[in-house]
Amino acid sequence: MPLTFHWFLPTQGDSRGIVGGGHGADVVASAWRTREPTLDYLAQIAGAAERLGFEGVLTPTGAWCEDAWLTTAMLAGSTRRLKFLVAFRPGLLSPTLAAQMAATYQRLSGGRLLLNVVTGGESAEQRQHGDFLDKDARYARTDEFLQVVGRLWRGETVDFRGEHVTVEGARLAKAPDPLPPVYFGGSSPAALDVASRRVQTYLTWGEPPGAVADKIDRVSALAAKRGRTLDYGVRLHVISRDTAEEAWAQARRLLDGLAPDTVGQVQHHLAMSESEGQRRMLELHGGSAADLEVHPNLWAGVGLARGGAGTALVGSHAQVADLIEEYHRAGATEFVLSGYPHLEEAYWFGEGVLPLLRERGLWEHPEGGEESAAPHVPFAVSAPATS
């Protein structure tokens, strides 16, 4: 199966260094100047992603960033083909309203909505929104929520009385066409159970390929018991350069931009996270800047300052392509990528790695060969002439 790549919209702000925080930690910027998430800047990133051949862009959800629904709806008109992987939290709106919003989005965007369901791993953050359920109850609610949404999308009139969701006579005037694919992540047993029952694509943060393969095997086995098959994706950052030395120099530069007190502050908050996935991310580096290459060309440095996805593919374009192939052998067919800053890193990856994957028969530009990015050609910067 050909691989699919998505990029990321930094609706919390962007920078030449790591913009950290999220998932229970305050958003912090590196020593370099932060780029505000203006509509113009986000449109530049979306346009670059579309031209380079990314299928879609993930837009996060949380109190620490701009609203994903509103931001992507405003950006849809600045792109033609690009899809928007909109993250949202089921507990913060009714399933009928969510189903209607998705149907409207599909019609007005020409079918370019993908949904990333975020159950919410941090009770303190959920309580800011008036949600006081515990973690297991939130997953149970997500299961009920997706049951109702699925039935509404199939054109049913729904009467449903669950432990957390109740609707009566719910229906849509018009179902979305096509139905938006549902993406979902989580590492706890409750999360894997919901994924196996309700979603089309299971996403995991970028653990080493062996751990990703194990997780995919567990979800696949649960889904098979229910007569279902899923697609699988990995959420990663990326630092790809013409040479490995250049890539690792950039990784060191990002690390040097993190003040020790900033790392300590972020790690303190992340250590209190209820998320099993976050715990697994923290275990990769243990809060230390030593031994951050946790698998060949897989670097855990981003996780020192950022919650959620904390690992990056680092190396030459060929090395990054090789590691992507390793994840593919583990069962992943979709990759949600990002890098700092997001505009420039989209080009490094899109011009350096995607052509290699195309040559290996693993990727095709969504618009065909004529729109594909040309292979990246290394260039030398001449010293300025002296007077």
Side-chain angles (χ1 to χ4, degrees):
M1 177 184 295
L3 302 182
T4 299
F5 293 90
H6 307 272
W7 197 240
F8 184 83
L9 284 178
T11 55
Q12 76 280 27
D14 203 2
S15 171
R16 292 174 56 238
I18 297 172
V19 178
H23 295 271
D26 294 334
V27 172
V28 292
S30 68
W32 291 281
R33 182 178 179 179
T34 296
R35 302 179 188 179
E36 294 299 320
T38 64
L39 199 60
D40 284 346
Y41 181 61
L42 296 176
Q44 288 184 57
I45 297 172
E50 182 170 74
R51 286 189 295 275
L52 291 165
F54 291 94
E55 180 75 10
V57 284
L58 171 64
T59 312
T61 182
W64 45 274
C65 59
E66 300 291 354
D67 178 75
W69 288 100
L70 293 174
T71 303
T72 58
M74 295 180 73
L75 288 170
S78 65
T79 54
R80 299 175 292 105
R81 170 195 57 79
L82 191 71
K83 296 178 181 177
F84 295 94
L85 182 50
V86 175
F88 79 103
R89 303 185 185 219
L92 307 186
L93 71 169
S94 79
T96 308
L97 178 58
Q100 181 189 29
M101 290 167 63
T104 299
Y105 201 118
Q106 284 295 71
R107 285 192 293 276
L108 299 185
S109 70
R112 293 193 283 149
L113 176 66
L114 311 171
L115 285 176
N116 180 31
V117 175
V118 178
T119 297
E122 317 303 335
S123 291
E125 185 177 14
Q126 293 297 121
R127 288 195 292 268
Q128 294 179 34
H129 296 284
D131 179 12
F132 289 84
L133 295 182
D134 63 25
K135 180 180 174 181
D136 286 342
R138 291 197 296 269
Y139 277 112
R141 178 180 58 197
T142 296
D143 184 81
E144 295 178 2
F145 183 99
L146 292 175
Q147 287 185 62
V148 173
V149 168
R151 291 177 61 186
L152 289 168
W153 283 350
R154 291 193 295 269
E156 298 180 26
T157 297
V158 180
D159 292 314
F160 185 93
R161 183 172 295 275
E163 185 178 356
H164 305 285
V165 173
T166 299
V167 297
E168 183 177 313
R171 63 184 184 276
L172 297 180
K174 190 175 182 181
D177 183 21
L179 297 181
V182 176
Y183 291 66
F184 177 89
S187 297
S188 68
L192 302 189
D193 184 65
V194 173
S196 70
R197 293 174 182 271
R198 305 295 173 199
V199 308
Q200 285 72 54
T201 301
Y202 174 78
L203 291 175
T204 179
W205 290 330
E207 299 174 36
V212 169
D214 176 68
K215 193 180 293 185
I216 288 175
D217 287 345
R218 283 187 285 145
V219 179
S220 181
L222 289 171
K225 291 179 181 179
R226 299 179 170 96
R228 304 186 71 236
T229 58
L230 277 63
D231 294 325
Y232 298 93
V234 186
R235 171 77 179 96
L236 292 151
H237 305 276
V238 62
I239 304 171
S240 183
R241 294 294 186 271
D242 296 331
T243 67
E245 292 77 15
E246 291 174 285
W248 286 109
Q250 172 64 6
R252 288 191 296 273
R253 176 181 172 275
L254 292 178
L255 196 60
D256 290 344
L258 298 174
D261 58 341
T262 295
V263 173
Q265 172 192 347
V266 171
Q267 292 301 301
H268 172 73
H269 287 287
L270 294 181
M272 297 184 289
S273 172
E274 300 171 348
S275 167
E276 174 66 13
Q278 185 64 71
R279 182 191 66 78
R280 293 166 72 107
M281 283 284 101
L282 294 179
E283 284 185 346
L284 293 178
H285 54 69
S288 169
D291 301 321
L292 289 173
E293 191 176 5
V294 297
H295 180 84
N297 300 107
L298 183 67
W299 183 65
V302 178
L304 292 175
R306 183 191 192 279
T311 52
L313 310 171
V314 180
S316 68
H317 304 310
Q319 288 173 329
V320 169
D322 290 343
L323 187 49
I324 286 172
E325 282 203 64
E326 193 172 350
Y327 279 111
H328 184 212
R329 291 191 294 272
T333 58
E334 299 203 26
F335 294 82
V336 183
L337 304 175
S338 56
Y340 300 100
H342 289 75
L343 182 60
E344 288 91 327
E345 288 296 339
Y347 278 103
W348 278 112
F349 182 85
E351 294 178 341
V353 180
L354 289 182
L356 295 179
L357 294 172
R358 181 180 55 206
E359 291 172 4
R360 300 179 189 187
L362 291 173
W363 174 79
E364 287 293 337
H365 194 290
E367 296 182 49
E370 293 183 0
E371 295 290 336
S372 301
H376 179 71
V377 179
F379 62 90
V381 179
S382 301
T386 58
S387 57

